[in-house]
Amino acid sequence: MRLLLIEDDPMIGEAVALALRGEGHAVDWVQDGAAGARALTAGAPYALLLLDLGLPGRDGLKLLADLRARGDRLPVLVITARDTVSDRIAGLDAGADDYLVKPFDLDELLARVRALARRAAGRAEPVLAHGRLRLDPATHSAWLGERPLHLSPREFALLQALLEKPGAVLSRAQLEERLYGWNEPVGSNAVEVHIHHLRRKLGERAIRNVRGVGWTLGELDPP
Ligand code: CA
């Protein structure tokens, strides 16, 4: 998934971004409220916003209120040192989906990110499936039948994007936006290379190219 992190504390921001990237997410990190507001209106396909409240430039609660006032339903996880009950109520009332008080455990943050992503996708069932292919974003594991698949974080993210929208054709730009953040260089054929590797692991017909449009899930070879 591609995530936006708005956090001014360099140590916390660094640690959170690193943990999220370790799970294979693309993370855009901005460190003040004004940059956060710009990022939120720039049109990147974020799956989730991690939002600190005490920010230079513009308060996080104001950013959140503006986001909801625009009708944007982006899932928001507030991460903040403001821990009074009234602060939490204000955050949730302003439209936050979840609330984590600093200092927090990074594993708990990652678990909450997964839970919010599942909820946003309208899935109670955490495992994604397509025929014999199963993908568990919580544990980052994948199987073809009973056989575990060894996927790189980007291969996993690409496959997850396709499985989340069965039947949809995703363009190169859509896949690149899901897989890479701002500062990450994208090779001109990066998506093709990941798809090539996935086909070797899943079968040549598993990902179908729709000429001039993009890629969609295809058929799995019989066991
Ligand atoms: Ca702060």
Side-chain angles (χ1 to χ4, degrees):
M1 300 192 293
R2 182 154 170 197
L3 314 176
L4 178 63
L5 169 64
I6 310 179
E7 166 64 78
D8 62 313
D9 184 305
M11 277 177 66
I12 294 174
E14 195 76 55
V16 168
L18 198 67
L20 291 166
R21 287 179 185 136
E23 293 250 302
H25 299 302
V27 182
D28 293 338
W29 173 25
V30 296
Q31 303 193 45
D32 68 75
R38 282 196 300 277
L40 282 168
T41 49
Y46 294 119
L48 185 78
L49 166 63
L50 294 105
L51 178 66
D52 180 28
L53 295 186
L55 291 166
R58 196 170 312 178
D59 191 80
L61 273 182
K62 174 82 170 81
L63 282 177
L64 183 54
D66 289 348
L67 183 77
R68 296 305 185 223
R70 291 197 297 273
D72 194 323
R73 297 171 63 191
L74 178 67
V76 177
L77 171 57
V78 164
I79 46 174
T80 180
R82 295 181 195 167
D83 63 348
T84 67
V85 171
S86 60
D87 283 330
R88 290 189 211 202
I89 291 172
L92 293 167
D93 277 348
D97 297 277
D98 201 357
Y99 205 99
L100 200 52
V101 175
K102 296 172 188 171
F104 50 80
D105 184 279
L106 283 172
D107 287 330
E108 182 179 1
L109 174 94
L110 295 175
R112 286 178 188 243
V113 165
R114 290 191 295 265
L116 282 175
R118 274 205 302 279
R119 209 187 302 161
R123 283 180 281 117
E125 174 58 60
V127 174
L128 295 160
H130 173 66
R132 292 183 298 125
L133 174 64
R134 282 176 302 140
L135 221 64
D136 184 355
T139 57
H140 250 256
S141 36
W143 305 267
L144 192 57
E146 296 303 310
R147 183 164 61 86
L149 291 167
H150 301 287
L151 305 178
S152 75
R154 303 259 204 240
E155 288 164 16
F156 192 95
L158 198 158
L159 200 53
Q160 184 177 352
L162 292 172
L163 278 163
E164 280 174 354
K165 289 197 164 59
V169 180
L170 299 182
S171 70
R172 175 199 310 279
Q174 285 172 319
L175 289 170
E176 284 175 354
E177 286 190 324
R178 277 282 298 254
L179 266 54
Y180 297 92
W182 291 327
N183 303 321
E184 297 178 280
V186 187
S188 60
N189 63 346
V191 168
E192 277 90 345
V193 170
H194 295 313
I195 285 175
H196 172 73
H197 289 146
L198 281 169
R199 282 177 174 153
R200 280 174 47 184
K201 294 172 184 179
L202 301 170
E204 281 302 316
R205 299 183 306 153
I207 298 172
R208 203 160 56 81
N209 180 234
V210 180
R211 196 171 292 278
V213 186
W215 292 270
T216 186
L217 282 176
E219 289 163 38
L220 298 170
D221 295 332

